[in-house]
Amino acid sequence: MRSLPGWSQPFWSWLTAKPLIEQLDTRRSKTPLYHIVVSALLLATGIALSVLGAIQGLYGLLPFGFILATAGTKQFQVMICHQAVHDMVLDGKRANEILGTVISSALMLKPFRTYKSEHVHHHDHQSLLTDLDDTLTFLRDNVGLRTSDTVAQMWTKLVIHAFSPIAMVRSVWGRVAATVLQPNRKVAALTIGAWGIGIGAAIWAGGLHIFLLAYALPVFVGYHICTTFRLAAEHTWPPVEVLRARGIAFIAESTTGVFIGEPLNIPDNASRLMRFHLTSIWLVRMLSYHLFIRLFVMVGDTPCHDFHHRRPRSREWPNYVTAREADRLKGSKPFPSNYLDFWGYGNAVTNNFQSFQLAADYYDQTEARNPSQHTTNEKEVFA
């Protein structure tokens, strides 16, 4: 990034989620409201593009609308609802609960109180990457990953689950059922009522197909696809002895940084024409494949998810790009090891799959001690 124009550096730092060191001294502090607004703009822009494309017959806009609306939906979940669970978005638990409930209802995510009660297991080092952890449950019970699978088999299962119509229907049904059956009956009634009014209004206006295309499709189908691919990059498996000990080293080594991009390699003796050629190819890849991954899969602060696990109560979460880098440069004390970095989504997932294979002994022994601990669950699990 350093060789590119200075005015473009904030964009590259967002895209890669990795800042230049000199940017730490010139950073502008962001607030939770900033990320709420960005999430809303992504969702609204995506919906607007899809509506425009459907009404005007500009069908080339539909994929962009789908991507942006999905990005907004998922960012609302992984950043705003997630941080509201930790009471880190607004002041006070009640305010955070109201915010999280409104977002969860509008997007029909997992009911906020349910999500909050379950999320504690994800941050408990005794239950992370066990059958009490919804990430492992999703990958093993829904995607079907097994430690005996080859990496190619795991990738195949991941792709199949992401685009499986049956898995999508189960996902939609699971979210609707969780909303209807949630313990908070008042929120359930308001949520179903609001969605019913929205669908009824769309039918009355003769635009049900537009409502489904512009809103329901990214909120349900796009979310399912994004979640499937994102969870494969969320956690890695440390060595078996670290898994068994489940101490502070486990917290440090079970999550890595997943940075989006690839190096621009130009030989020192390259001609001007060759430099232009290599730079052009790099820019095309960064602004197509890697930008898509950043918008659609590794949304919000998910590339720096390891910072959240190390510092779950940090008020610097809105500045995740620079906060993680600053913590890394200080050595991330008191953790016994510093942050682990992986460049490229595919590289990170392949590494996670390989580490999952190496964890076979840990899971085999755990199940031998507790044969009833792991049972296949066909119900969709939303992380």
Side-chain angles (χ1 to χ4, degrees), residues 100-169:
T101 299
V102 169
I103 294 173
S104 299
S105 297
L107 302 175
M108 203 168 285
L109 306 174
K110 176 181 288 188
F112 183 75
R113 287 186 180 177
T114 303
Y115 176 37
K116 186 170 185 176
S117 66
E118 294 178 356
H119 191 65
V120 64
H121 294 298
H122 190 68
H123 278 276
D124 184 348
H125 62 283
Q126 295 297 333
S127 55
L128 180 63
L129 299 182
T130 72
D131 289 329
L132 295 176
D133 176 23
D134 49 11
T135 298
L136 177 65
T137 304
F138 180 89
L139 293 174
R140 193 155 65 170
D141 295 348
N142 295 91
V143 179
L145 301 189
R146 297 292 180 267
T147 55
S148 57
D149 292 340
T150 65
V151 170
Q153 288 173 326
M154 292 186 194
W155 269 109
T156 300
K157 288 181 177 181
L158 190 73
V159 173
I160 289 175
H161 183 81
F163 296 103
S164 165
I166 296 176
M168 291 176 184
V169 170

Side-chain angles (χ1 to χ4, degrees), residues 173-343:
W173 174 252
R175 287 165 68 175
V176 173
T179 298
V180 173
L181 300 176
Q182 65 176 299
N184 191 328
R185 307 311 302 159
K186 181 179 180 180
V187 171
L190 290 174
T191 301
I192 298 301
W195 273 81
I197 292 172
I199 294 172
I203 294 174
W204 177 80
L208 179 61
H209 64 293
I210 296 178
F211 173 84
L212 296 175
L213 179 69
Y215 191 71
L217 191 67
V219 164
F220 287 105
V221 175
Y223 183 95
H224 165 80
I225 298 171
C226 166
T227 297
T228 299
F229 285 116
R230 188 190 69 81
L231 288 181
E234 183 165 298
H235 286 285
T236 191
W237 281 260
V240 171
E241 58 271 17
V242 177
L243 270 170
R244 290 193 183 114
R246 295 198 161 267
I248 191 171
F250 171 74
I251 299 174
E253 296 181 33
S254 61
T255 316
T256 67
V258 182
F259 301 110
I260 312 304
E262 59 189 72
L264 171 57
N265 294 319
I266 301 179
D268 293 337
N269 61 348
S271 65
R272 181 174 297 180
L273 180 61
M274 179 56 69
R275 287 177 179 274
F276 176 79
H277 173 69
L278 293 176
T279 302
S280 299
I281 292 177
W282 180 81
L283 282 171
V284 168
R285 286 184 56 80
M286 290 294 291
L287 297 177
S288 55
Y289 167 71
H290 292 296
L291 179 59
F292 169 76
I293 292 295
R294 186 69 172 100
L295 279 172
F296 192 78
V297 180
M298 301 302 294
V299 302
D301 62 350
T302 54
C304 302
H305 191 62
D306 52 353
F307 174 73
H308 174 67
H309 273 267
R310 289 177 184 240
R311 314 292 184 194
R313 300 299 301 173
S314 173
R315 288 289 176 181
E316 277 292 288
W317 71 263
N319 305 297
Y320 59 90
V321 170
T322 52
R324 181 193 185 275
E325 185 67 7
D327 195 32
R328 184 188 70 83
L329 293 174
K330 294 176 182 177
S332 189
K333 302 300 181 184
F335 294 96
S337 59
N338 211 334
Y339 288 90
L340 301 172
D341 296 357
F342 275 92
W343 278 92

Side-chain angles (χ1 to χ4, degrees), residues 318-371:
N319 305 297
Y320 59 90
V321 170
T322 52
R324 181 193 185 275
E325 185 67 7
D327 195 32
R328 184 188 70 83
L329 293 174
K330 294 176 182 177
S332 189
K333 302 300 181 184
F335 294 96
S337 59
N338 211 334
Y339 288 90
L340 301 172
D341 296 357
F342 275 92
W343 278 92
Y345 168 79
N347 292 334
V349 173
T350 295
N351 170 77
N352 290 352
F353 287 164
Q354 291 170 339
S355 69
F356 184 51
Q357 290 175 320
L358 296 176
D361 287 345
Y362 171 79
Y363 289 114
D364 290 345
Q365 292 181 15
T366 299
E367 292 177 10
R369 291 193 301 268
N370 304 286

